[in-house]
Amino acid sequence: DSVSAVSLVKPIIFLAMALFGAVASGGTVVVAQYKGKNDPEKVRQAAGQATLATFIVALIVGLCCFFFAEPIISWLFGSAEAAVKEKCVEFLSGMGISMIPFAFYSAAFAALRGVGASKTCLWLTIMINVVHFLLSILLLNILHLDIWGTVLSYILARFIGGMIALYLLMTKRGIMQVRVRDILKVNPKLMITIARMGVPVAMEQAFYNGGNIIVQSYLVQLGGIAVAANAIA
């Protein structure tokens, strides 16, 4: 039931994350443009605005997943077994919470990638996945928390990753040295540019993950065992 639930919800999660991930990708392009022009002030501003925009979109998407998990699951996977649907709701609502700290990670990662800090990005990726892996062993295999063990491992790993990424973005010894005002003070011109870069990426991901959701909605009619077998394979 748990494997089936996670498998069914994952495309919804990927679709939701694609929306704020696309904003972060737009930030990468804009940061890279100003880096190429050798304009550190604009680089900081672009990174700050990308962080703000990514957080706003992630907050909206995450809260929608949290508050509307049950109607979303009932609409898409209404024919699923009751136990599977219940776990789907738990997983979707919990993952909605995890998207909020992950927004900071995504935005900082994108900005660092824009200035060519590939080694830093690599270590961030390794770090957040190792933390998630170790927490999964603790919460699933040792404490047997089932779906909430998976959700908590995501939330904690993404919170840790988000805070470290934000520190790397804002520390005075870092590459970017983004200031608080660069994040909080809205720059409409930069926001529009970031959105214009990110929208095509969001549309591409929406079509891809939307297709996966449609496939899952048909697959669920075959029963939980079939869904779990498909997920494992």
Side-chain angles (χ1 to χ4, degrees), residues 31-230:
V31 167
Q33 287 176 340
Y34 287 120
K35 174 69 174 175
K37 293 177 182 178
N38 197 25
D39 188 342
E41 179 63 26
K42 283 292 187 182
V43 167
R44 283 194 290 268
Q45 290 179 11
Q49 292 300 285
T51 302
L52 177 61
T54 305
F55 174 73
I56 290 171
V57 176
L59 181 64
I60 294 169
V61 172
L63 290 177
C64 286
C65 289
F66 180 79
F67 286 110
F68 302 109
E70 189 168 355
I72 290 171
I73 296 303
S74 296
W75 175 52
L76 291 173
F77 310 124
S79 60
E81 298 159 15
V84 174
K85 282 199 293 185
E86 183 180 344
K87 288 173 185 270
C88 282
V89 171
E90 291 175 357
F91 187 61
L92 182 57
S93 59
M95 290 299 286
I97 297 171
S98 80
M99 290 178 195
I100 298 170
F102 193 60
F104 293 112
Y105 175 87
S106 300
F109 188 96
L112 290 166
R113 191 169 54 191
V115 296
S118 55
K119 286 185 179 179
T120 303
C121 293
L122 173 62
W123 284 113
L124 275 172
T125 302
I126 293 171
M127 181 270 306
I128 195 173
N129 281 285
V130 168
V131 171
H132 176 48
F133 177 66
L134 294 175
L135 285 170
S136 294
I137 292 174
L138 172 65
L139 297 170
L140 288 172
N141 297 76
I142 298 174
L143 298 180
H144 304 291
L145 295 181
D146 198 32
I147 285 292
W148 282 109
T150 304
V151 167
L152 284 172
S153 68
Y154 271 111
I155 292 173
L156 292 172
R158 288 176 170 180
F159 178 80
I160 293 168
M163 294 305 101
I164 292 174
L166 205 57
Y167 172 78
L168 291 173
L169 201 66
M170 300 181 71
T171 179
K172 292 181 179 179
R173 293 177 295 175
I175 302 168
M176 308 288 291
Q177 299 179 10
V178 175
R179 299 153 301 194
V180 174
R181 69 172 179 269
D182 295 323
I183 299 174
L184 297 181
K185 186 178 179 181
V186 177
N187 186 323
K189 184 179 178 182
L190 277 175
M191 283 286 198
I192 291 169
T193 304
I194 291 168
R196 191 170 66 243
M197 296 292 181
V199 165
V201 179
M203 291 179 66
E204 176 199 350
Q205 291 297 313
F207 283 121
Y208 175 75
N209 290 295
N212 281 339
I213 292 171
I214 293 170
V215 171
Q216 295 286 52
S217 67
Y218 283 104
L219 186 64
V220 72
Q221 298 174 31
L222 301 178
I225 294 174
V227 176
N230 179 69

Side-chain angles (χ1 to χ4, degrees), residues 4-16:
S4 298
V6 171
S7 171
L8 291 171
V9 173
K10 272 293 178 71
I12 304 174
I13 302 298
F14 290 148
L15 176 60

